């Protein structure tokens, strides 16, 4: 392995190190996940987890990839958006590595990294990105030298909504994958069920979305005596329909013909299926990278770092502070 860019991801519950070679050849990441004993992610506890996990993960990566410091061209890290304490652990590790290896440091935008790993892995060129994760839900497209947010959640992220519903039903974090299984089991056994049988609020507001009303209504359905499986199914149908509807409108408005899915919720088979159906009906395509590159991962940070390094970008130490509210359209996009 030689001439690589190392990426450090630490925006929330995932600490991950990954690398790409100088041509963008990707390698699987080395990741550790903070799992809260109860409740949601406590930023301080997640940050402590990341601090403890970092040395072993770096060692694992160096050994497994036969990597020596002289192979490394740059160290990229997630500068934001995310949870401040978690971001600061990744930034500190990245600064130390870049200093020790005497290579440039590159602070990257986490949301943009989801786009660039998706483009790299799927070969799509100018997509609308449906970015659906725990903390974020955004519909993003490039206009000129920025990735613009065309629509987004007005309250909580779609993954967070699924996780919260699951937690209220005694299902541990992350709830999204378990809801998917319950929903699939339900519809397999009840193929004639329609959303009118278990109606929930539909959360589209112009080009934006909202999920907390849906969450409350789903919990209410349980209180009224509906079974968990059927509510999980209806919750997915409503949340995903709304999300795909906004994505379709983004395709229509921008004239783009590729929908790219990214973020942890993009692992969901039903969301992928709905996206594909919508895209096919309008002569567009819907694509997504494999699961390891949908969820937060260090490789995507390395890949965006590679593109920024190629156009001569690096982050001076004094500009390397994290920004927990960094916006997608803050980042100048001057690469292809
Ligand atoms: P991320 O924030 O991108 O790391 O992704 C984590 C989020 O993705 C959590 O909210 C998970 O519940 C959610 N998630 C992961 N897999 C699935 C799935 N198969 N279906 C729905 N949500 C999922
Ligand atoms: Mg993410």
């Amino acid at each position: 392995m030689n001439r690589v860019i190392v990426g450090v991801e630490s925006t929330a519950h995932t600490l991950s190190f990954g690398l790409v070679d100088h041509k963008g050849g990707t390698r699987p990441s080395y990741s550790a996940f903070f799992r809260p004993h109860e409740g949601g992610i406590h930023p301080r506890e997640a940050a402590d987890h990341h601090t403890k996990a970092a040395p072993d993960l770096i060692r694992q990566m160096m050994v497994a990839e036969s990597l020596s410091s002289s192979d490394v061209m740059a160290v990229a890290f997630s500068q934001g958006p995310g949870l401040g304490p978690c971001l600061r652990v990744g930034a500190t590790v990245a600064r130390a590595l870049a200093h020790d290896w005497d290579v440039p440091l590159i602070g990257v935008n986490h949301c943009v990294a989801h786009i660039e790993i998706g483009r790299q892995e799927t070969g799509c060129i100018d997509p609308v990105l449906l970015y659906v994760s725990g903390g974020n839900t955004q519909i993003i497209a490039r206009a000129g030298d920025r990735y613009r947010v065309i629509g987004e959640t007005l309250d909580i992220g779609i993954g967070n909504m699924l996780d919260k519903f699951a937690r209220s039903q005694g299902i541990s974090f992350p709830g999204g994958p378990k809801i998917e299984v319950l929903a699939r089991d339900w519809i397999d056994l009840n193929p004639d069920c329609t959303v009118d049988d278990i109606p929930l609020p539909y959360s589209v507001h112009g080009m934006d979305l909202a999920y907390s009303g849906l969450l409350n209504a789903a919990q209410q359905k349980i209180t009224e005596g509906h079974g968990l499986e059927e509510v999980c199914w209806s919750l997915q149908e409503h949340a995903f329909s709304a999300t795909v509807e906004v994505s379709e409108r983004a395709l229509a408005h921008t004239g783009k013909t590729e929908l790219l899915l990214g973020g942890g919720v993009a692992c969901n088979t039903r969301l992928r299926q709905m996206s594909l159906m919508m895209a096919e009906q309008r002569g567009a395509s819907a694509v997504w990278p494999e699961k390891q590159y949908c969820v937060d991962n260090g490789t995507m940070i390395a890949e965006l770092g590679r593109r920024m390094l190629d156009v001569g970008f690096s982050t001076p130490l004094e500009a390397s502070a994290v920004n927990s509210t960094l916006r997608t359209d803050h980042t100048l996009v001057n690469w292809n």
Side-chain angles (χ1 to χ4, degrees):
M1 182 57 75
N2 61 25
R3 310 316 286 158
V4 302
I5 293 90
V6 167
V8 186
E9 160 58 28
S10 73
T11 51
H13 49 80
T14 304
L15 174 71
S16 180
F17 295 86
L19 50 86
V20 297
D21 67 35
H22 64 287
K23 292 190 181 132
T26 49
R27 301 283 307 150
S29 300
Y30 297 80
S31 305
F33 308 97
F34 171 67
R35 295 264 181 270
H37 293 302
E38 56 174 9
I41 304 175
H42 190 292
R44 193 62 266 153
E45 288 173 10
D48 287 348
H49 162 269
H50 295 349
T51 305
K52 288 191 193 108
D56 259 3
L57 284 180
I58 297 169
R59 223 170 285 128
Q60 261 181 43
M61 177 176 70
M62 302 293 284
V63 171
E65 302 291 338
S66 308
L67 196 64
S68 81
S69 56
S70 59
D71 300 327
V72 179
M73 299 170 72
V75 178
F77 70 102
S78 271
Q79 202 163 4
L83 305 172
C86 298
L87 285 168
R88 279 191 283 279
V89 174
T92 305
V93 171
R95 284 184 206 109
L97 291 176
H99 176 77
D100 196 45
W101 296 341
D102 196 21
V103 294
L105 177 70
I106 304 178
V108 315
N109 186 316
H110 175 91
C111 304
V112 175
H114 274 288
I115 307 175
E116 297 304 355
I117 193 69
R119 290 176 66 213
Q120 184 68 12
E121 290 292 295
T122 67
C124 70
I125 295 165
D126 184 21
V128 166
L129 174 75
L130 172 57
Y131 173 33
V132 277
S133 74
N136 297 293
T137 302
Q138 295 184 335
I139 292 93
I140 302 167
R142 185 164 176 172
D145 60 7
R146 304 281 156 161
Y147 284 113
R148 305 274 172 198
V149 179
I150 303 181
E152 65 186 319
T153 180
L154 299 172
D155 47 32
I156 54 178
I158 186 169
N160 192 224
M161 182 274 288
L162 295 170
D163 295 336
K164 277 189 162 142
F165 176 74
R167 192 158 75 237
S168 73
Q169 303 307 310
I171 299 169
S172 62
F173 177 86
K178 291 151 201 155
I179 289 177
E180 177 177 14
V181 173
L182 293 170
R184 193 171 49 222
D185 289 351
W186 164 260
I187 200 62
D188 282 352
L189 290 173
N190 300 275
D192 298 330
C193 183
T194 75
V195 283
D196 293 334
D197 297 330
I198 319 157
L200 292 170
Y202 194 72
S203 55
V204 173
H205 301 262
M207 288 301 287
D208 293 322
L209 296 146
Y211 297 106
S212 51
L214 191 54
L215 168 64
N216 290 336
Q219 286 166 331
Q220 185 61 33
K221 288 283 176 214
I222 299 279
T223 314
E224 287 166 11
H226 286 275
L228 178 61
E229 290 82 0
E230 56 179 329
V231 176
C232 286
W233 175 78
S234 181
L235 183 60
Q236 279 202 166
E237 293 300 302
H238 283 83
F240 295 166
S241 304
T243 311
V244 171
E245 182 190 319
V246 176
S247 308
E248 175 166 31
R249 217 169 309 140
L251 287 171
H253 283 322
T254 59
K256 298 186 198 282
T257 55
E258 299 163 313
L259 179 68
L260 170 66
L261 269 52
V265 184
C267 297
N268 189 290
T269 307
R270 180 62 179 144
L271 178 62
R272 292 174 171 189
Q273 189 184 38
M274 282 189 187
S275 303
L276 210 51
M277 277 166 57
M278 178 277 281
E280 275 170 2
Q281 279 168 15
R282 50 179 302 112
S285 62
V287 294
W288 44 81
E290 46 178 301
K291 287 186 181 181
Q292 61 169 331
Y293 300 131
C294 281
V295 297
D296 290 347
N297 66 91
T299 306
M300 71 180 193
I301 305 303
E303 172 55 15
L304 176 51
R306 181 186 72 85
R307 291 178 186 229
M308 294 171 77
L309 185 70
D310 270 357
V311 294
F313 185 91
S314 71
T315 305
L317 205 54
E318 59 275 17
S320 68
V322 302
N323 179 353
S324 61
T325 59
L326 184 65
R327 292 284 301 171
T328 301
D329 54 12
H330 180 84
T331 299
L332 175 70
V333 181
N334 56 354
W335 55 88
N336 281 325

